[in-house]
Amino acid sequence: MADLPGYMRACLHTGKLAALAILVSGGIVLQILACALYNNWWPMLTVIMYVLLPLPLLFFVGSDFSIFSQSENGWVNATKFLTGASAIGSIAIPAILKHAGVIGWGALAMELSSFFVFVLAIMCYIRTSDDDDSYSSI
């Protein structure tokens, strides 16, 4: 990519951002459809976990930290634990609602697919931000 002109790199970067926006929009649509198609708004409880998911990272971790690195810092370990608990809660809430008979199989499938679309969007964002160094020369 180093031999591409600056305008071409900017266009490719814009395309990556558009793909991320489409993924997040698709996840939101699946979340809403899981509720609206089955006329049951209990699956929206998962949204609470989606809001709580990044909060430990925002509050406890500095900007010089990578979530994938090993650390002996107690706050960093607490952040990883709370983030993991929130991620597991995003899967557990629809499963518990299905087990209790509150939602059906279709709503559960849409909820879980919404979660995996959001995870895919986050992984693509991490990949895009890792490649961001090549766009700083534009």
Side-chain angles (χ1 to χ4, degrees):
M1 290 229 353
D3 57 344
L4 291 176
Y7 66 89
M8 185 69 79
R9 285 191 304 249
C11 181
L12 289 174
H13 185 62
T14 305
K16 289 180 183 179
L17 291 177
L20 283 174
I22 290 170
L23 279 174
V24 171
S25 299
I28 292 171
V29 166
L30 282 171
Q31 180 78 32
I32 293 172
L33 282 177
C35 299
L37 288 179
Y38 299 99
N39 201 18
N40 186 355
W41 293 92
W42 280 106
M44 276 296 188
L45 285 174
T46 311
V47 174
I48 295 170
M49 299 311 286
Y50 292 151
V51 171
L52 292 178
L53 190 63
L55 291 182
L57 292 171
L58 293 174
F59 291 139
F60 296 127
V61 177
S63 62
D64 58 343
F65 167 72
S66 173
I67 190 74
F68 302 112
S69 66
Q70 295 290 330
S71 175
E72 296 297 324
N73 188 354
W75 287 109
V76 172
N77 290 335
T79 299
K80 289 179 182 179
F81 174 76
L82 291 173
T83 303
S86 298
I88 295 301
S90 299
I91 296 173
I93 289 175
I96 291 169
L97 289 174
K98 172 61 186 117
H99 180 71
V102 176
I103 64 173
W105 283 108
L108 175 68
M110 285 187 155
E111 283 287 322
L112 294 179
S113 61
S114 169
F115 174 75
F116 289 117
V117 167
F118 281 131
V119 168
L120 180 65
I122 290 169
M123 290 172 57
C124 290
Y125 174 74
I126 290 171
R127 172 75 178 159
T128 302
S129 64
D130 286 345
D131 292 343
D132 209 18
D133 297 334
S134 62
Y135 299 112
S136 61
S137 63
I138 295 177

